[in-house]
Amino acid sequence: MSYLRGMLEDMTTDTPARLLQLLSLLQTPREWPGGELAERLGVSRRTVRRDVDRLRELGYPVQASKGADGGYRLIAGKAMPPLVLDDEEAVAIAVGLRAGAGHAVEGVDEASVRALAKLEQVLPGRLRHRVSVLQAATTPLTSGDGASIAPETLTVMASAVAGRERLRFAYRAADGTESRRLTEPYRLVSTGQRWYLVAYDLDRGDWRTFRVDRVSEPFATGARFAPREMPTGSAAEYLRQSMWGRQVTYDVSVSFAAPAEQVAVELPGWLGAPEPVDAGSCRVRATVGDALDWLAFRLAVLGFEFTVEGPEELVRCVRELGARLSRAAG
């Protein structure tokens, strides 16, 4: 009789919808007694056990505990199965990803933009509106100092990269020259200050890097392409060589009167890790571009006593910044 009752429940209820509801409950970090799950879903405990078996077949690692009532919970598995989000969770994640994507925050790379593109593709209109309202009312405090970017621009680019679709866009060069580009997009790369697109420029017949904050009207054409082999092996390395080849670089050495572990927390990641000198001091060595006045400011706001050991150009920038601040204080 119990088996027949379970079969009737499957026939009279929406099994896929019930499985999604069960999955949503199990993704809450707690153990659910079988009786409570049955009550929530409006089915028998036998049907709950059968639904749990179906989730396991789909790759969800559901752990069962023994006992009078028995319990179920999701545990970490070997692979990442699809998640089920409620409205509030989806809005929260979309707002967070948009904030990070729009400001090139350190550590927020192309994977986050792909996640944002996937999420926004399936968000209902009512939730899209909530995300837009929340983002418009929020001013994020970010670690990146580059120009802000419309998240929609990044999501279009990320979708074209993932789908291997040719991408058209308008581009404004550093000297203000406007052009239209047709590209085969390869990767999006975040430097912690700005986003860059590494792509093969079909009109120029060569690889190029594009600052995303100078891109407008991006459009995925729908035309597929077979990925070309990168000349440097990776997009990040190509961007690094491209940037370093266009500007003067300096070998910087700065010592801090603070333990290395404390400085590491505040130091921008692109400057590398501080090397301990002794228990109360450390040193940072890095190769940087020609924006030394900006670097002087970043060092000054870290909150530690420091000494610039070189180059002389950075020493001069720090002195000029100190003099300017002293004048501002009267």
Side-chain angles (χ1 to χ4, degrees), residues 4 8 68 78 126 135 174 204 239 258 315:
L4 179 61
L8 289 174
K78 295 181 180 179
R126 57 189 172 80
Q135 189 182 29
R204 289 152 181 80
L239 176 64
V315 173

Side-chain angles (χ1 to χ4, degrees), residues 88 91-92 95 127-139:
E88 301 300 327
V91 168
V95 170
L127 297 187
R128 287 174 184 264
H129 176 70
R130 288 177 59 186
V131 170
S132 298
V133 169
L134 275 172
Q135 189 182 29
T138 304
T139 302

